[in-house]
């Protein structure tokens, strides 16, 4: 750095997830302790830039008499938004970076936020570095995004609890997961939680296929209960998902869990009881897992190193158990990523006898993004 004094900004953008605070903590610690920089926290992502608002973050300020709550708390102390007047007010947002006199900005976001922030950075000539986060785990190149591991663990915990009540009442438990158009969350949680059926957006299902699996469990194995994990964006063979348009005109996924449960009851003429659990935003809450804390710490530290080396326009990623970095353009061009129907995990699930949708389709036609994992 040519300047002796450096002031960097940090913001969190898009849906929150566990581990964001651990990443903020790592950025502040490394920037202040190693480099002696000043770190400004920008509240509510681009809204903070628009409002020219920032709070000074110090290592001392993050501590609570020697206890550091940030490592283990969910959410984000900076607040976040996953919609906003970004396009309409881009010039004002861009100007916010200068008004706050920033030398660089670190943005923690999912694929949508990283794309928006990198556009603003390009247009405004910001020195920008990105950190990937999302429980959906659909940011390209990185094998893990902050928040995913904790969300999987939350689901696995729920599946474990539900198995006991399912077994006690001979019921089918249908559990709806988040994940938007990708099935990483449902697939990982379903395998780890012992599901009998996992339905994900990338592999079309038929109700007939679900019924067949339930019949087989009962007739061949004598199982009187079952666990069905369904991703919110799961689609039938004819491409139907369950969604509605909200007041802002955005399409939102909702209702697949109830639909599947109703169909199971209808098919069995209510001789099987199906119950639905929609964990919803519980998946985004809670204390980050040990892995997410490690990941957030490593990515946060690496993002500061990129700023120190003046390597802007990059995203820090997790690859082969290590931190690496790639251009934001590369990440955005390939995001979001989808589950590869031929992946080892899908084959594992099928090998375990889990119904994962119809085999004999070429289907899976995400219109954008790339197939990964
Ligand atoms: O992208 C993260 C995510 O939690 C998705 O899994 C989910 O569909 C969406 O955000 C929910 O968004 P909101 O918080 O706006 O309801």
């Amino acid at each position: 750095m040519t300047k002796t004094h450096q002031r960097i900004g940090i913001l969190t953008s898009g849906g929150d997830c566990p581990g964001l605070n651990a990443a903020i903590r790592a950025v502040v610690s490394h920037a202040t302790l190693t480099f002696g920089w000043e770190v400004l926290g920008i509240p509510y992502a681009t809204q903070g830039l628009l409002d020219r608002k920032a709070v000074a973050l110090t290592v001392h300020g993050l501590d609570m008499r020697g206890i550091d709550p940030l490592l283990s708390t969910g959410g984000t102390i900076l607040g976040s938004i996953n919609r906003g007047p970004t396009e309409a007010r881009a010039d004002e947002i861009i100007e916010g970076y200068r008004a706050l006199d920033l030398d660089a900005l670190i943005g923690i976001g999912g694929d949508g936020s990283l794309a928006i922030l990198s556009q603003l950075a390009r247009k405004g000539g910001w020195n920008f570095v990105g950190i990937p986060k999302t429980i959906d785990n659909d940011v390209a190149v990185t094998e893990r995004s902050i928040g995913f591991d904790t969300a999987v663990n939350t689901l696995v915990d729920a599946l474990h609890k539900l198995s006991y009540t399912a077994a006690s009442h001979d019921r089918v438990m249908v559990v709806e997961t988040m994940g938007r158009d990708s099935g990483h969350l449902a697939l990982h949680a379903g395998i780890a939680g012992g599901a009998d059926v996992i339905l994900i957006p990338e592999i079309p299902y038929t109700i007939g296929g679900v019924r067949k699996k339930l019949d087989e469990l009962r007739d061949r194995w004598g199982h009187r209960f079952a666990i069905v994990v369904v991703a919110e964006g799961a689609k039938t063979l004819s491409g139907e998902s369950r969604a509605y348009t909200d007041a802002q005109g955005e399409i939102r996924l909702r209702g697949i869990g109830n639909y599947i449960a109703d169909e199971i009851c209808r098919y069995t003429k209510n001789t099987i009881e199906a119950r639905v659990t929609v964990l919803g935003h519980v998946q985004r809450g809670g204390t980050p897992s040990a892995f997410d804390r490690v990941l957030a710490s490593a990515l946060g530290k690496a993002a500061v190193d990129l700023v120190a080396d003046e390597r802007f326009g990059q995203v820090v990623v997790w690859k082969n158990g290590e931190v690496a970095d790639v251009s934001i353009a590369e990440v955005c061009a390939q995001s979001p990523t989808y589950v590869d129907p031929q992946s080892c995990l899908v084959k594992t699930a099928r090998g375990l006898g889990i119904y994962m949708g119809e085999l004999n389709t070429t289907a899976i036609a995400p219109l954008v993004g790339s197939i990964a994992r």
Side-chain angles (χ1 to χ4, degrees):
M1 299 258 115
T2 43
K3 276 169 71 178
T4 47
H5 175 79
Q6 180 85 355
R7 173 188 272 188
I8 66 167
I10 180 165
L11 57 79
T12 49
S13 178
D16 75 320
C17 64
L20 292 176
N21 287 331
I24 295 168
R25 171 184 182 267
V27 167
V28 176
S29 304
H30 194 40
T32 56
L33 299 178
T34 310
F35 296 106
W37 298 342
E38 188 185 352
V39 184
L40 293 187
I42 296 160
Y44 300 104
T46 48
Q47 188 64 45
L49 289 169
L50 202 53
D51 299 339
R52 278 83 171 117
K53 276 198 185 143
V55 284
L57 299 175
T58 61
V59 176
H60 180 70
L62 302 180
D63 282 358
M64 205 174 65
R65 273 175 282 161
I67 303 164
D68 184 347
L70 279 198
L71 192 57
S72 56
T73 45
T76 161
I77 53 161
L78 296 176
S80 192
I81 51 170
N82 58 5
R83 58 179 61 163
T86 316
E87 258 180 61
R89 302 185 70 181
D91 291 341
E92 290 167 79
I93 294 168
I94 285 169
E95 224 11 71
Y97 175 92
R98 296 194 207 299
L100 294 173
D101 197 22
L102 299 178
D103 297 302
L105 177 66
I106 294 176
I108 312 176
D111 65 301
S113 294
L114 290 176
I116 290 168
L117 290 168
S118 75
Q119 270 170 28
L120 292 167
R122 235 188 356 262
K123 197 167 169 209
W126 297 352
N127 294 329
F128 181 75
V129 168
I131 301 178
K133 66 87 215 169
T134 169
I135 65 162
D136 302 344
N137 207 41
D138 59 354
V139 176
V141 187
T142 192
E143 286 158 11
R144 287 287 176 274
S145 293
I146 296 169
F148 176 67
D149 186 66
T150 310
V152 170
N153 283 316
T154 299
L155 278 163
V156 169
D157 184 44
L159 292 173
H160 177 70
K161 288 171 177 160
L162 286 166
S163 314
Y164 285 97
T165 165
S168 304
H169 287 270
D170 294 344
R171 281 175 174 160
V172 174
M173 292 294 183
V174 179
V175 179
E176 181 181 314
T177 76
M178 280 189 166
R180 228 183 276 268
D181 298 317
S182 68
H184 303 293
L185 197 52
L187 178 59
H188 282 248
I191 291 175
D196 302 293
V197 172
I198 304 174
L199 307 178
I200 60 174
E202 294 88 342
I203 306 177
Y205 70 91
T206 59
I207 282 293
V210 176
R211 294 167 181 169
K212 202 167 144 220
K213 181 71 208 172
L214 297 179
D215 285 348
E216 179 200 315
L217 285 170
R218 186 197 54 214
D219 300 341
R220 189 157 171 212
W221 306 110
H223 288 196
R224 303 184 58 83
F225 75 96
I227 301 289
V228 175
V229 172
V230 54
E232 60 182 355
K235 294 182 187 72
T236 62
L237 214 43
S238 50
E240 283 163 46
S241 56
R242 299 278 134 177
Y244 72 102
T245 307
D246 73 9
Q248 279 76 32
E250 279 188 36
I251 294 171
R252 307 189 73 79
L253 298 164
R254 188 165 71 190
I256 186 80
N258 280 306
Y259 170 73
I260 298 284
D262 286 350
E263 286 295 298
I264 291 169
C265 292
R266 199 165 62 86
Y267 162 68
T268 59
K269 299 195 172 49
N270 293 319
T271 54
I272 284 187
E273 282 187 306
R275 293 285 189 270
V276 188
T277 302
V278 182
L279 286 176
H281 291 77
V282 168
Q283 293 159 91
R284 295 229 303 251
T287 186
S289 66
F291 178 78
D292 270 332
R293 296 182 204 191
V294 171
L295 180 68
S297 302
L299 295 183
K301 184 260 180 197
V304 171
D305 285 337
L306 284 181
V307 174
D309 295 342
E310 299 188 30
R311 296 188 51 227
F312 302 114
Q314 297 290 104
V315 179
V316 287
V317 293
W318 188 254
K319 254 181 126 176
N320 304 321
E322 284 189 34
V323 175
D325 59 88
V326 290
S327 77
I328 296 184
E330 188 180 335
V331 169
C332 291
Q334 294 175 38
S335 296
T337 62
Y338 301 98
V339 171
D340 179 352
Q342 300 305 326
S343 70
C344 135
L345 281 192
V346 172
K347 286 181 182 159
T348 299
R350 291 203 198 276
L352 294 173
I354 299 170
Y355 173 71
M356 280 222 56
E358 297 308 308
L359 264 176
N360 299 324
T361 59
T362 44
I364 328 37
L367 297 176
V368 288
S370 55
I371 299 281
R373 288 178 286 278

